[in-house]
Amino acid sequence: DTAVSQTPKYLVTQMGNDKSIKCEQNLGHDTMYWYKQDSKKFLKIMFSYNNKELIINETVPNRFSPKSPDKAHLNLHINSLELGDSAVYFCASSQDLLFSGNTIYFGEGSWLTVV
Amino acid sequence: GENVEQHPSTLSVQEGDSAVIKCTYSDSASNYFPWYKQELGKGPQLIIDIRSNVGEKKDQRIAVTLNKTAKHFSLHITETQPEDSAVYFCAANFGNEKLTFGTGTRLTIIP
């Protein structure tokens, strides 16, 4: 009964391909996030959704398109993959918005390698 | 700007000793300071957090202290055990809808 689950866990793909990472949370949370962790372990937010509405788009290239079909799911689609997209992508969720005093819980990560 | 600095980047501690990791933040409007532990191949796991109206919080062997005047907060782990070995991240919320993370500290507990 994983709280925040994402698939696939590992993904190796060629440059120029399009790929998706799926995320689901069973915590009943209203807010979901995508964070990116680079090779130096630096964690940075990409997107935040609250009740299926985009709250944060942290100057991410247009090739990255999140989609939230419902509050429990936030998928990440990446077009025309580049070598620099290689990273670990973490999905996360919180009960509600952060400024309301909520805590963020992370999934186990999706390791993307672009060759 | 929104910035969190974390030190040290690596820390080795003899088992049973204490470990301290320090973070400073740039904006006095920050109100929430969580600490995450990341084990190899896993996602960050919240271990303790503190809000701006509190100076110290403790949970068994783990404690966090916050100095709002100096804009820094620290993680203290006492009686360290081998399973404490991991990468630890501090983070801060600057009154918006995201966490800004420090650069991480790789903690190694020497048996």
Side-chain angles (χ1 to χ4, degrees), chain A residues 5-23:
Chain A
S5 57
Q6 30 183 134
T7 55
K9 186 170 177 70
Y10 300 102
L11 181 56
V12 181
T13 188
Q14 290 189 325
M15 281 174 55
N17 283 352
D18 303 339
K19 291 294 177 186
S20 291
I21 306 172
K22 295 185 176 181
C23 179

Side-chain angles (χ1 to χ4, degrees), chain A residues 9-10 31 33 35 37 40-45 48 55-56 58 88 90 96-109 111, chain B residues 2-4 31-32 34 36 38-46 49 51 87 89 92-93 95-104 106:
Chain A
K9 186 170 177 70
Y10 300 102
T31 306
Y33 311 82
Y35 277 79
Q37 186 170 47
K40 294 185 178 179
K41 294 279 191 184
F42 188 61
L43 269 163
K44 193 170 191 294
I45 190 167
S48 165
I55 302 296
I56 290 178
E58 194 74 353
V88 185
F90 287 102
D96 204 329
L97 298 171
L98 263 188
F99 76 82
S100 302
N102 292 285
T103 301
I104 294 181
Y105 298 93
F106 285 83
E108 294 287 89
W111 270 251
Chain B
E2 300 169 357
N3 191 42
V4 178
N31 56 14
Y32 175 57
Y36 286 85
Q38 186 176 23
E39 296 176 328
L40 194 61
K42 301 209 168 203
Q45 182 181 21
L46 179 75
D49 58 10
R51 301 195 184 268
V87 179
F89 290 95
N93 175 243
N96 50 25
E97 284 311 306
K98 61 181 180 179
L99 287 179
T100 299
F101 283 85
T103 47
R106 184 174 298 278

Side-chain angles (χ1 to χ4, degrees), chain A residues 30 32 49-54 65-76:
Chain A
D30 286 347
M32 295 185 73
Y49 271 73
N50 179 257
N51 282 314
K52 302 193 300 175
E53 288 192 18
L54 181 67
S65 54
K67 282 191 171 53
S68 182
D70 55 60
K71 287 196 308 184
H73 296 84
L74 180 61
N75 304 322
L76 183 65

Side-chain angles (χ1 to χ4, degrees), chain B residues 64-78:
Chain B
V64 55
T65 57
L66 172 64
N67 184 326
K68 288 202 69 181
T69 304
K71 290 191 281 188
H72 68 69
F73 57 112
S74 300
L75 177 71
H76 304 254
I77 307 174
T78 59

